[in-house]
């Protein structure tokens, strides 16, 4: 380190350009090269200043410049990358709009916890499906222009889509008591084109999100005197959990969400247990249910 | 009570093999809810569709695994090609490069072709993370070979053209995307830096100078492009490294000029300096208390 410091100080005195047997770029370069070694930030300018002096080097050498060949390719890269970033910008804008629609939808749907009639809640929430469909169509149109690149931009709408799926699935469950299946979800969003579908993993993550909503729903239903709902939800969630166990998951986000599902199941089980032990459930129905449960 | 039975049942199911569990599950559900026709359809359709999802996920994961393996083989063999190119010297250029090119061809035929078979349609982007490292390494090796041969940059289109014959026309050919190509180029500068340093110490100054200007050009061009890249984080990091490579070559050249011109008294300082400059490569040497390595190696032939 010491030696390194000394060099630049005395070299300029010793160096005499006339002594050089080979062509040497101006001695002026030396401090430029030496000074920036200690920090990267300060180097930025100095390297540029040295690269601006490239012509002096080119004069000394007889080598062909590379700019010609490099330039054309990089020029086209630049335009291509500009295009993709424009495209991404457009996609992000649509994704933002999807996000704001889902927020409204979610807010509407939250009323279900306040014991509003389900039909009323659903009607309000459903009014947002139209705009959602529209936005997803716009996404599909944008992606149609770059076939095969769905997954290049997928990250930009992935989270939003997962939330959408969870809300739609929750609504569907409230309405029918069934799980919203993947093709049904696609249909609801109008995503039937081959270039733009609903990614299965997004769908599954969305379903996991939905299961997070159920324990709270059950507790609130029971608070408002609907003692039958724990059994219904428990059956549904048990089936769902069992179905998820059929999947061989990687150690990824979906796996994590699925691992969380068992806590939802547990909470619902607890509520069901509480309701049951207090004798709040209509006896006849639960007896039949109980009997059949214990048989297998 | 119910909770307990459920958990038991789940535990039981977990211990059975997958297929029988699947079967049991459907069967048990069927019985237990026979009284409620609506639930029955739910269960059947849930497990039906989940077995579809399971199949989809299995296929996807298996494919990803195969792609990762192919990518790893490409990386490993491309690295060998790069090492082969580094064996270049003053007199064996053609011979070394010929072998390197042959090896590169083998990488294409044996390993890249495996990738080609796996990927089609949206897979190129879906599984990009799985194959990107291999492809980057390949780009690095291919451009490195080409630069040593002709002193020019191997274009993306030229690389992609070499992949066309790897499959028959029924399969969509593998086309490297810009991002992987650029990431590969960023790595290339590291190799070029090593090559330049070894060329300097071998006395091939012209070649080193050529490399230096090439790397500078590359760095400058990339500086403009990087902010627009898809996930520019990786690339920004690589740009830092690249800049350091440029500087190392420049400093290496300066070192050589000192060595070349100045008398022996200075040598000690210069050697220390060059050890400092190229510290990252020579740390092992310093570790065994042999800082004179560069001092011995460099000046012998020229002074």
């Amino acid at each position: 380190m010491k030696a390194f410091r000394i060099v630049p100080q005395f070299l300029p005195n010793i160096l005499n350009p006339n002594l050089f047997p080979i062509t040497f770029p101006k001695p002026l370069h030396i401090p430029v090269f030496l000074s920036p070694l200690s920090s990267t930030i300060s180097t930025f300018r100095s390297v540029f200043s040295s690269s601006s002096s490239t012509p002096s080097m080119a004069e000394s050498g007889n080598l062909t410049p590379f700019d010609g060949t490099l330039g054309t390719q990089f020029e086209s890269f630049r335009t291509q990358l500009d295009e993709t970033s424009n495209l991404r910008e457009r996609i992000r804008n649509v994704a933002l709009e999807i996000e704001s629609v889902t927020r409204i939808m979610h807010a509407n749907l939250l009323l279900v916890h306040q014991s509003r009639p389900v039909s009323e809640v659903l009607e309000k929430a459903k009014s947002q499906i139209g705009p959602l469909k529209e936005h997803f169509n716009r996404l599909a149109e944008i992606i149609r222009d770059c076939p095969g690149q769905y997954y290049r931009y997928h990250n930009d709408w992935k989270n939003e889509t997962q939330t959408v799926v969870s809300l739609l699935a929750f609504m569907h469950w409230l309405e029918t008591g069934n799980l919203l299946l993947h093709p049904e979800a696609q249909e609801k969003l109008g995503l039937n084109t081959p270039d733009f579908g609903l990614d299965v993993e997004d769908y599954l993550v969305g379903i996991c999100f939905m299961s997070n909503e159920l324990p709270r729903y059950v507790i609130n239903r029971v608070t408002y005197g609907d003692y039958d709902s724990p059994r219904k939800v428990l059956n549904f969630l048990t089936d769902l959990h069992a179905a998820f166990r059929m999947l061989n998951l990687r150690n990824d986000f979906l796996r994590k969400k699925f691992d969380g599902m068992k806590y939802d199941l547990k909470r619902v089980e607890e509520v069901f247990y509480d309701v049951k032990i207090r004798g709040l459930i209509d006896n006849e129905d639960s007896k039949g249910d109980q009997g059949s449960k214990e048989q297998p | 009570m119910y909770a307990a039975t459920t958990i038991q049942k789940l535990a039981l199911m977990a211990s059975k093999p997958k297929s029988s569990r699947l079967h049991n599950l459907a069967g048990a559900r069927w019985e237990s809810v026979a009284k409620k026709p609506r639930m029955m359809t739910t269960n059947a359709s849930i497990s039906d569709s989940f077995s579809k999802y399971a199949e989809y996920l299995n296929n996807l994961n298996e494919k990803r695994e195969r792609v990762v393996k192919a990518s790893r083989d490409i990386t490993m063999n491309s690295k060998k090609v790069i090492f082969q190119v580094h064996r270049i010297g003053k007199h064996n250029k053609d011979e070394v490069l010929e072998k390197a090119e042959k090896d590169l061809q083998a990488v294409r035929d044996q390993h890249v072709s495996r990738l080609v078979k796996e990927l089609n349609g949206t897979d190129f982007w879906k599984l990009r993370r799985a194959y990107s490292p291999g492809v980057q390494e390949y780009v690095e090796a291919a451009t490195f070979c080409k630069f040593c041969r002709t002193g020019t940059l191997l274009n993306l289109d030229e690389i992609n053209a070499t992949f066309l014959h790897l499959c028959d026309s029924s399969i969509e050919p593998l086309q490297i995307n810009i991002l992987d190509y650029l990431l590969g180029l960023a790595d290339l500068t590291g190799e070029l830096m090593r090559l330049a340093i070894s060329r300097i110490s071998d006395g091939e100054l012209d070649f080193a100078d050529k490399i230096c200007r090439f790397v500078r050009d590359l760095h400058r061009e990339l500086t403009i492009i990087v902010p627009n890249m898809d996930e520019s984080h990786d690339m920004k990091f690589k740009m830092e490294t690249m800049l350091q490579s440029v500087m190392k070559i420049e400093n290496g050249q300066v070192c050589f000029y000192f060595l070349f011109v100045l008398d022996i008294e200075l040598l000690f300082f210069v050697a220390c300096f060059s050890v400092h400059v190229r510290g990252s490569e020579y740390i092992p040497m310093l570790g065994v208390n042999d800082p004179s390595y560069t001092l011995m190696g460099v000046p012998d032939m020229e002074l």
Side-chain angles (χ1 to χ4, degrees):
Chain A
M1 198 60 202
K2 242 183 180 173
F4 159 60
R5 288 230 184 88
I6 295 166
V7 174
Q9 282 169 11
F10 74 94
L11 270 181
N13 304 332
I14 301 173
L15 287 178
N16 180 349
N18 298 332
L19 289 174
F20 292 174
I22 58 157
T23 44
F24 184 71
K26 302 167 208 162
L28 195 142
H29 278 225
I30 297 160
V32 173
F33 288 140
L34 297 185
S35 59
L37 287 171
S38 44
S39 79
T40 337
I41 304 155
S42 66
T43 56
F44 188 71
R45 220 165 273 159
S46 52
V47 165
F48 265 72
S49 69
S50 66
S51 72
S52 69
S53 65
T54 321
S56 75
M57 280 198 160
E59 280 165 30
S60 66
N62 51 355
L63 295 148
T64 48
F66 300 101
D67 289 323
T69 45
L70 275 190
T72 43
Q73 181 180 227
F74 280 88
E75 190 69 39
S76 91
F77 283 171
R78 209 179 305 158
T79 49
Q80 282 179 54
L81 288 173
D82 277 347
E83 275 166 28
T84 51
S85 59
N86 283 340
L87 201 67
R88 199 175 283 278
E89 194 73 15
R90 279 165 65 203
I91 290 172
R92 279 197 185 131
N93 284 333
V94 180
L96 276 181
E97 285 178 52
I98 291 177
E99 206 252 321
S100 76
V101 175
T102 47
R103 243 181 298 136
I104 297 171
M105 206 162 158
H106 193 198
N108 288 337
L109 216 49
L110 282 175
L111 287 173
V112 91
H113 294 297
Q114 297 172 20
S115 176
R116 292 286 181 80
V118 171
S119 57
E120 182 197 309
V121 173
L122 282 180
E123 201 179 319
K124 260 194 165 173
K126 267 186 182 169
S127 65
Q128 300 300 325
I129 293 185
L132 264 187
K133 230 175 160 168
E134 217 171 273
H135 293 319
F136 272 98
N137 263 330
R138 274 172 57 202
L139 268 190
E141 253 166 52
I142 295 173
I143 294 300
R144 201 166 299 142
D145 293 338
C146 33
Q149 299 195 10
Y150 177 94
Y151 286 104
R152 182 175 192 178
Y153 306 102
H154 179 219
N155 260 339
D156 291 321
W157 68 77
K158 194 168 75 178
N159 294 340
E160 288 78 6
T161 311
Q162 289 166 355
T163 319
V164 168
V165 170
S166 78
L167 296 177
L168 289 178
F170 190 45
M171 283 159 63
H172 186 81
W173 180 78
L174 286 173
E175 204 175 1
T176 65
N178 292 338
L179 178 70
L180 179 77
L181 299 177
H182 179 256
E184 293 168 342
Q186 263 190 327
E187 193 154 329
K188 276 198 187 213
L189 295 173
L191 303 177
N192 303 321
T193 53
D195 338 311
F196 198 95
L198 176 61
D199 185 61
V200 172
E201 280 165 283
D202 286 350
Y203 162 79
L204 292 172
V205 171
I207 297 297
C208 288
F209 283 151
M210 178 203 67
S211 102
N212 298 152
E213 195 86 351
L214 290 175
R216 190 178 163 219
Y217 173 75
V218 167
I219 287 168
N220 290 326
R221 293 305 291 177
V222 170
T223 315
Y224 286 105
D226 175 6
Y227 300 126
D228 193 38
S229 65
R231 185 187 53 77
K232 255 171 42 190
V233 174
L234 184 58
N235 278 343
F236 174 71
L237 211 50
T238 313
D239 288 345
L240 189 64
H241 189 256
F244 261 96
R245 290 163 59 101
M246 287 160 57
L247 309 176
N248 298 320
L249 299 175
R250 289 163 68 229
N251 240 351
D252 59 1
F253 185 64
L254 178 56
R255 170 83 190 267
K256 214 167 135 194
K257 291 322 287 180
F258 163 64
D259 285 344
M261 194 189 268
K262 63 175 177 282
Y263 299 108
D264 300 330
L265 185 62
K266 194 167 165 250
R267 280 176 69 195
V268 175
E269 272 173 353
E270 279 164 7
V271 175
F272 180 70
Y273 173 77
D274 281 347
V275 171
K276 178 105 183 158
I277 210 110
R278 290 177 172 79
L280 294 170
I281 299 181
D282 180 12
N283 258 346
E284 215 173 293
D285 189 66
S286 63
K287 234 180 206 167
D289 196 51
Q290 188 76 11
S292 61
K293 280 273 142 63
E294 277 171 358
Q295 256 176 13
Chain B
M1 216 163 74
Y2 175 74
T5 50
T6 318
I7 288 168
Q8 271 178 357
K9 214 162 61 182
L10 288 178
L12 247 174
M13 285 194 289
S15 62
K16 284 175 190 165
K18 189 194 129 207
S19 59
S20 76
R21 184 214 308 169
L22 199 154
H23 194 77
N24 266 9
L25 175 81
R29 288 284 131 219
W30 196 272
E31 255 177 70
S32 69
V33 291
K35 285 174 195 164
K36 305 178 195 73
R38 201 181 66 185
M39 292 304 280
M40 190 174 76
T41 52
T42 315
N43 292 322
S45 56
I46 284 187
S47 60
D48 271 0
S49 41
F50 268 76
S51 55
K52 266 183 230 146
Y53 308 149
E55 197 192 336
Y56 166 83
L57 288 176
N58 284 345
N59 288 341
L60 183 66
N61 289 339
E62 279 160 23
K63 182 185 256 195
R64 180 182 281 123
E65 209 54 44
R66 287 193 300 270
V67 169
V68 167
K69 276 183 192 153
S71 160
R72 232 176 262 151
D73 288 340
I74 294 172
T75 308
M76 202 175 69
N77 289 293
S78 299
K79 277 219 165 80
K80 285 181 188 159
V81 172
I82 291 169
F83 275 108
Q84 171 64 23
V85 177
H86 275 302
R87 291 188 195 112
I88 208 167
K90 264 180 187 166
H91 310 296
N92 61 354
K93 188 180 161 194
D94 284 334
E95 178 187 332
V96 165
L97 286 181
E98 219 161 89
K99 170 135 190 350
E101 279 157 7
K102 218 178 79 202
D103 289 352
L104 202 63
Q105 177 69 40
V107 174
R108 276 200 296 274
D109 291 342
Q110 288 168 23
H111 305 297
V112 178
S113 60
R114 278 160 60 201
L115 263 190
V116 176
K117 279 191 199 98
E118 294 296 341
L119 301 171
N120 55 55
T122 52
D123 295 340
F124 289 108
W125 288 100
K126 172 99 179 165
L127 298 178
R128 185 182 155 222
R129 271 164 193 277
Y131 70 80
S132 178
V135 165
Q136 285 176 33
E137 201 71 28
Y138 177 84
V139 168
E140 193 181 333
T143 48
F144 195 35
C145 267
K146 170 86 173 185
F147 177 79
C148 290
R149 183 65 98 182
T150 65
T152 53
L153 179 68
L154 182 64
N155 285 341
L156 177 58
D157 295 337
E158 293 172 291
I159 295 186
N160 280 335
T162 60
F163 290 157
L164 287 179
H165 75 279
L166 290 176
C167 57
D168 47 49
S169 52
S170 61
I171 313 171
E172 195 172 344
L174 173 71
Q175 297 291 283
I176 295 177
N177 60 60
I178 300 184
L179 307 177
D180 288 337
Y181 177 73
L182 291 176
L183 288 164
L185 283 192
D187 293 336
L188 167 71
T189 53
E191 297 305 328
L192 285 175
M193 181 268 291
R194 289 197 183 89
L195 186 71
I197 301 292
S198 73
R199 288 310 88 213
I200 288 170
S201 60
D202 234 7
E204 287 187 63
L205 279 198
D206 280 354
F207 194 25
D209 186 41
K210 199 166 154 184
I211 295 173
C212 182
R213 287 189 294 128
F214 180 72
V215 174
R216 275 184 194 153
D217 282 346
L218 213 54
H219 177 261
R220 198 183 50 235
E221 293 288 353
L222 286 174
T223 315
I224 310 171
I225 287 180
V226 165
N228 269 346
M229 280 175 67
D230 283 30
E231 290 123 15
S232 53
H233 181 75
D234 273 3
M235 196 60 190
K236 275 176 191 142
F237 180 73
K238 287 194 176 188
M239 288 300 284
E240 289 271 308
T241 321
M242 191 187 266
L243 184 57
Q244 273 160 19
S245 298
V246 175
M247 285 160 49
K248 279 178 188 169
I249 301 176
E250 285 165 350
N251 291 320
Q253 285 180 314
V254 173
C255 267
F256 187 86
Y257 291 131
F258 291 169
L259 283 174
F260 196 70
V261 173
L262 304 172
D263 60 313
I264 285 292
E265 275 173 55
L266 251 180
L267 228 55
F268 174 71
F269 294 111
V270 174
C272 290
F273 168 56
S274 83
V275 166
H276 173 86
V277 172
R278 291 140 63 178
S280 64
E281 295 125 75
Y282 284 96
I283 281 169
M285 306 298 179
L286 291 173
V288 295
N289 281 333
D290 187 18
S292 57
Y293 178 82
T294 43
L295 190 77
M296 308 296 274
V298 180
D300 275 356
M301 65 210 75
E302 298 294 343
L303 283 183

